[in-house]
Amino acid sequence: MDNFLAARSQMALSLGFHIIYACIGMVMPFFMAVAHYRWLKTKDIAHKNIAKAWSKGVAIFFATGAVSGTMLSFELGLLWPNFMKHAGPIFGMPFSLEGTAFFIEAIALGFFLYGWERLNPYFHWFTGVVVGISGLASGILVVAANSWMNSPAGFDYVNGQYLNIDPMKAMFNEAWFSEALHMTIAAFASTGFAVAGVHALMIVRRQNVHFHQQAFKIAAGFAAVAALLQPIAGDIAAKSVAKRQPAKLAAMEAYFHTKPYSPLVLGGIPDVKTQEVHYGLEIPGLLSFLVYDDFKTPVEALDQIPVENQPPVAITHYSFQVMVGLGMFMMLISVLYLIAIWFKKHWIYSNWLLKLFIIAVPTGFIAVEAGWMVTEIGRQPWIIQGVMRTADAVTPMPGIAWSFYLFTGIYISLSIVVVFLLYRQILMVPKLYDKPQDNLTLSQA
């Protein structure tokens, strides 16, 4: 394995693990705060116990997210020194602000975890809200840094020099809003379905039914709303990509030939050599409509882009199809859940609907990973779109393959520990109950 492949593999591995920890860390505090608020309003002890149980999960993911995020910051300097040499002074502001948000989150989480029976109840609840807001801010700030790589701004590039640097313009580049919105909603959908699915499994198994029903309703509510909002965010993001990164959009759609009534391709196997898509379903004009709001205007295809500037088509296309397909699946479950809430209340805890949520436990995170692959692989061969190539940013230091193997071991070990801690936490749920009547049967609930 050469240095370039090892460096890219290590970043892909690190980001692939960290993005899951980050999504959960951004969103779970809001679930926790809602449960806590319901406890304050209803005095239903189950909601207090849910807030306590979820707060332990938040603490686990805060710790693992801090570890993996710190490793990522070191990796940027270790693996991509040429990139950081020029880019660091430009897009460093969101990373600095993210550090501030991280410290606020840590302090607020400490107040929340150790504030039970010690703080004013509503101030205690507010500290949980602060954990959520600061965690969400951290995620958005990191995405702002990544969006700068896709839409560089805040500097003039003259004769290989980066001049007239404006960190604010760099942070609030053209892509930051669409990427931040898309990623935030994805975090709520993926975490919501994962948490709801776990509690649905416990309901199906008839374990601590009332506790898990209340937890399920909170998580499923967040998941359903987020999944139904995601197509709007996705449309905004796709229009932004079409404007700034036409090569990425063309690879996402495996769109080889520019023509009017540009088709949207569903599925299919791209063949780069023949520039065709086999076994795909083409819907004429739909890509033109999604990009330009009319069916005729041609969308720029790969034939308009030099081959050396084209991203890998197949993996970008497959990743995009996986993301969209799983997103549609989560939307279907969301529609069924909302129908159950509004019109068919006897559906809510029916086995078939609960099992759909159980099936959906990993789907959101798979979609997130696929979407991140579209974002990063679709930008290639650039590390800074149109300015610096990834191959020019990699470190000349030998032995990066060994670093990749070491970090792989660390992340796998970290994930095993996380799974063990979460599993133990789920098993400890029965011990959280303060009242015997909280442990109802399904028929009683």
Side-chain angles (χ1 to χ4, degrees), residues 192-206 216 329 333 350-364:
F193 273 102
V195 174
V198 170
H199 290 289
L201 178 63
M202 295 298 105
I203 296 170
V204 170
R205 291 180 174 179
R206 309 294 194 266
F216 171 79
F329 176 63
I333 297 175
S350 60
N351 269 7
W352 66 268
L353 185 58
L354 292 172
K355 286 178 180 178
L356 281 177
F357 274 94
I358 295 169
I359 293 170
V361 166
T363 56

Side-chain angles (χ1 to χ4, degrees), residues 42-278:
T42 67
K43 298 305 178 183
D44 181 352
I45 198 68
H47 287 113
K48 179 182 180 182
N49 291 329
I50 292 167
K52 284 186 173 182
W54 282 348
S55 69
K56 292 181 173 68
V58 169
I60 291 169
F61 282 103
F62 176 82
T64 52
V67 171
S68 59
T70 302
M71 291 168 66
L72 271 170
S73 64
F74 282 112
E75 286 177 318
L76 284 171
L78 172 70
L79 304 176
W80 314 103
N82 293 332
F83 168 69
M84 292 303 295
K85 174 183 176 182
H86 299 291
I90 304 172
F91 79 148
M93 178 172 285
F95 279 128
S96 300
L97 294 176
E98 192 274 337
T100 303
F102 172 81
F103 285 122
I104 294 173
E105 183 181 6
I107 294 168
L109 181 59
F111 274 108
F112 190 86
L113 290 174
Y114 300 105
W116 293 99
E117 318 303 337
R118 295 180 178 87
L119 300 174
N120 175 279
Y122 281 94
F123 177 76
H124 183 217
W125 166 79
F126 177 71
T127 62
V129 175
V130 172
V131 174
I133 293 173
S134 53
L136 191 62
S138 293
I140 290 173
L141 288 164
V142 171
V143 171
N146 177 264
S147 68
W148 177 85
M149 298 164 68
N150 293 313
S151 180
F155 66 98
D156 294 324
Y157 186 63
V158 181
N159 297 325
Q161 299 294 314
Y162 297 77
L163 307 173
N164 303 321
I165 294 173
D166 186 336
M168 292 301 293
K169 285 185 178 179
M171 184 166 66
F172 295 110
N173 56 78
E174 290 186 1
W176 85 269
F177 175 75
S178 61
E179 283 198 26
L181 179 66
H182 193 51
M183 186 68 241
T184 299
I185 296 176
F188 274 95
S190 58
T191 306
F193 273 102
V195 174
V198 170
H199 290 289
L201 178 63
M202 295 298 105
I203 296 170
V204 170
R205 291 180 174 179
R206 309 294 194 266
Q207 295 180 9
N208 306 300
V209 173
H210 180 61
F211 174 94
H212 290 294
Q213 283 181 336
Q214 301 311 309
F216 171 79
K217 285 195 292 187
I218 295 171
F222 274 103
V225 172
L228 293 174
L229 289 176
Q230 189 64 294
I232 300 172
D235 181 65
I236 294 171
K239 283 181 167 61
S240 177
V241 168
K243 177 182 176 182
R244 298 175 291 98
Q245 296 174 292
K248 178 186 286 187
L249 181 70
M252 288 160 56
E253 295 294 341
Y255 177 49
F256 292 102
H257 306 288
T258 304
K259 55 187 174 182
Y261 300 98
S262 302
L264 185 75
V265 179
L266 300 178
I269 301 174
D271 187 333
V272 178
K273 290 183 179 179
T274 62
Q275 297 194 339
E276 295 178 344
V277 179
H278 303 293

Side-chain angles (χ1 to χ4, degrees), residues 13-22 61-75 407 410-411 414-415:
L13 176 84
S14 301
L15 287 167
F17 277 99
H18 180 70
I19 198 170
I20 302 301
Y21 304 148
F61 282 103
F62 176 82
T64 52
V67 171
S68 59
T70 302
M71 291 168 66
L72 271 170
S73 64
F74 282 112
E75 286 177 318
F407 276 69
I410 292 172
Y411 276 110
L414 189 62
S415 296

